[in-house]
Amino acid sequence: KLVEAVITHTNPFPPKNKKIPHLAKMTTIMEIGNLGVGFRPQIAINSIRKWRCKQFLGQKMQNKKRFLLVCSVASKVCSFSEEENGLIEALIGIQGRGRAASPQQLQEVERAVKVLEGSEGVSEPTSSSLIEGRWQLMFTTRPGSASPIQRTFVGVDSFSVFQEVFLRTNDQRVSNIVKFSEAIGELKVEALATIKDGKRILFQFDRAAFSFKFLPFKVPYPVPFRLLGDEAKGWLDTTYLSPSGNLRISRGNKGTTFVLQRETEPRQKLLSSISTGTRVEKAIEEFISLNQNVANPELELLEGEWQMIWSSQVETDSWLENAGNGLMGNQIVKPDGQLKFLVGILFGIRFSMTGKYEKSGSNTYDVIMDDGAILAGMYGIPVEMESKFTIEILYTDDKIRISRGYNKILFVHVRVDGSKKKS
């Protein structure tokens, strides 16, 4: 079952004198009347900014032709089912593609993976064209203990990691790719592949090379695959492939679980920009524009503990002032109007700054922080300082918050606890 976006039009093909605005390639399905006839042409259509996608909830639309879009650019990613979104939610905020995941985060991911593996995906993934092409690795259970490429590169957030699958050619291959950056280049490790059954691919690594932008030739990867024998061989089971072709779960012969996506969810794209340090403010601007809630513009602080992962200003004040103004560390939002900034220093010593917040607008809060202390176990040394500012919430959900705070600085926080209560 496809959970996609629907655009309704009595005439799906616009008049010749009208042009559909600004396009990107997407997969479409066209259903004609009530005949149930469908086909999947690959057409070029534009990035939909003025056209809004509505979630397809199975409504009957009589006497109209229906277009279902697998959206890669839309107000929300519509091509993920509720179960798939459960896995995506579990992945938000995990660093190093799993390397820095807490036991609780690993449990949430494994639970969501098992739900999908028990659901109805593509029955024989290796026989489907949906498995073909490039997939981005979002998570793995063993980023530092499996293959050499995983031990060296997978846990580094600033690199992008992909897997290419091509089974419908004379030269069947599965390749792992680490992209260092647009300016530097990539490492590609290739394997000969054969299909064993509807889920399993057998592979044998046989070549690898670095492709650097500043060199006119490839640099061989120093691994002697011929001498490795059975160590260069393995298998990969695809335990879930989404009907939309956007999400894949695989398990390898070394006990590793992989979560790969064709198109990343908008929050994941934003966090990727932050981890690589590229075009972050532009990514935030685009993310907010795609997620504006015109019907209900009121945004609230959500109770829980939030970790600051990015701010728009380089810390220029003293360390103590930065900590006291929320430019580092965690924020703890309590339901009784209390707010705490908590910053770890070293060897169990922490700085704490507490205060009060009060709602002053549809998405703004006035904050007074006036109780500081250096904490060491049960003991504390008071620090006299006070800070007043306004927090403006630009976007928030149960996993991520974008706001303007002290001195109009832009902040991105991710939740680091399981609380979902509103303040």
Side-chain angles (χ1 to χ4, degrees):
K1 182 178 178 181
L2 292 176
V3 179
E4 299 168 317
V6 62
I7 292 180
T8 307
H9 204 286
T10 52
N11 179 6
F13 299 100
K16 291 182 179 179
N17 59 349
K18 279 194 174 183
K19 293 184 179 179
I20 301 176
H22 182 63
L23 281 201
K25 191 174 182 181
M26 293 184 184
T27 303
T28 62
I29 303 169
M30 182 176 179
E31 293 184 353
I32 304 176
N34 296 318
L35 299 178
V37 178
F39 59 92
R40 290 178 177 266
Q42 298 289 328
I43 64 172
I45 60 174
N46 289 338
S47 129
I48 303 179
R49 298 200 174 189
K50 297 184 180 178
W51 289 19
R52 293 297 180 189
C53 293
K54 298 178 182 177
Q55 248 188 339
F56 178 59
L57 301 177
Q59 308 101 311
K60 291 185 178 179
M61 303 172 63
Q62 308 234 346
N63 302 321
K64 290 184 180 180
K65 296 179 181 179
R66 300 187 301 179
F67 276 75
L68 303 181
L69 288 185
V70 179
C71 295
S72 60
V73 205
S75 59
K76 290 190 182 287
V77 170
C78 318
S79 54
F80 296 107
S81 70
E82 182 178 349
E83 292 82 3
E84 291 167 356
N85 274 321
L87 176 55
I88 291 169
E89 286 286 331
L91 295 177
I92 295 295
I94 292 180
Q95 303 292 313
R97 278 173 281 268
R99 171 169 284 177
S102 67
Q104 181 183 351
Q105 288 174 320
L106 290 174
Q107 289 176 5
E108 290 179 0
V109 172
E110 185 62 26
R111 191 181 304 117
V113 164
K114 288 182 177 179
V115 168
L116 282 174
E117 288 179 331
S119 65
E120 187 177 352
V122 176
S123 58
E124 294 191 350
T126 58
S127 300
S128 172
S129 61
L130 293 175
I131 202 172
E132 297 280 307
R134 175 173 283 207
W135 295 83
Q136 183 165 5
L137 178 66
M138 309 305 296
F139 175 86
T140 174
T141 52
R142 301 176 66 196
S145 60
S147 67
I149 192 171
Q150 284 184 255
R151 287 195 297 270
T152 309
F153 303 113
V154 169
V156 183
D157 276 325
S158 57
F159 300 156
S160 297
V161 181
F162 302 92
Q163 185 179 86
E164 287 183 344
V165 179
F166 293 104
L167 305 176
R168 282 158 182 76
T169 66
N170 293 330
D171 184 23
Q172 295 178 323
R173 288 197 170 267
V174 174
S175 302
N176 294 330
I177 300 165
V178 177
K179 188 172 183 178
F180 305 114
S181 72
E182 292 291 344
I184 297 176
E186 65 183 32
L187 165 65
K188 187 173 186 178
V189 181
E190 300 183 54
L192 285 169
T194 56
I195 298 173
K196 181 178 180 180
D197 54 38
K199 289 189 175 182
R200 178 162 295 186
I201 299 171
L202 305 177
F203 63 84
Q204 180 173 355
F205 290 111
D206 64 345
R207 64 192 185 201
F210 292 93
S211 297
F212 295 117
K213 297 289 185 179
F214 49 83
L215 292 177
F217 53 87
K218 294 182 179 181
V219 178
Y221 184 55
V223 175
F225 293 115
R226 292 182 180 179
L227 301 180
L228 291 178
D230 289 342
E231 287 296 315
K233 298 178 182 179
W235 50 260
L236 190 68
D237 283 347
T238 295
T239 55
Y240 178 80
L241 176 61
S242 64
S244 64
N246 262 357
L247 182 66
R248 177 163 65 92
I249 299 170
S250 292
R251 295 185 184 265
N253 57 291
K254 294 185 179 181
T256 310
T257 301
F258 304 93
V259 178
L260 305 103
Q261 289 178 225
R262 187 87 68 181
E263 293 289 343
T264 53
E265 191 258 1
R267 288 174 300 176
Q268 295 171 311
K269 291 183 178 180
L270 172 58
L271 294 176
S272 177
S273 293
I274 291 172
S275 66
T276 57
T278 56
R279 301 177 67 253
V280 177
E281 292 197 52
K282 183 66 174 177
I284 291 173
E285 180 185 338
E286 292 174 353
F287 177 80
I288 292 174
S289 69
L290 290 173
N291 287 279
Q292 286 179 338
N293 191 343
V294 179
N296 181 21
E298 187 162 330
L299 299 173
E300 298 184 33
L301 281 174
L302 297 181
E303 176 187 347
E305 185 171 355
W306 298 79
Q307 180 182 3
M308 195 204 78
I309 61 171
W310 184 85
S311 72
S312 60
Q313 179 171 306
V314 177
E315 298 168 12
T316 54
D317 299 324
S318 70
W319 179 91
L320 197 60
E321 288 175 320
N322 285 319
N325 291 321
L327 272 71
M328 55 200 304
N330 291 9
Q331 286 185 5
I332 301 173
V333 182
K334 297 184 178 180
D336 56 359
Q338 290 190 359
L339 181 65
K340 177 186 283 188
F341 298 153
L342 196 60
V343 181
I345 304 175
L346 74 165
F347 305 122
I349 300 174
R350 298 176 297 167
F351 171 78
S352 171
M353 187 76 170
T354 59
K356 295 279 189 180
Y357 65 89
E358 182 177 353
K359 192 159 190 176
S360 56
S362 61
N363 64 330
T364 57
Y365 290 80
D366 290 334
V367 177
I368 300 177
M369 307 297 291
D370 57 5
D371 185 7
I374 302 292
L375 305 176
M378 298 176 59
Y379 302 97
I381 302 173
V383 176
E384 290 189 10
M385 60 185 300
E386 181 178 284
S387 181
K388 297 180 181 180
F389 53 88
T390 297
I391 294 178
E392 178 187 5
I393 310 297
L394 303 177
Y395 173 84
T396 187
D397 59 32
D398 291 331
K399 284 285 187 177
I400 189 170
R401 184 179 78 210
I402 303 172
S403 61
R404 286 194 183 94
Y406 170 77
N407 206 23
K408 300 293 184 181
I409 296 172
L410 196 61
F411 294 90
V412 179
H413 288 81
V414 293
R415 187 190 293 278
V416 292
D417 68 354
S419 175
K420 293 186 179 182
K421 297 178 182 177
K422 290 184 179 181
S423 63

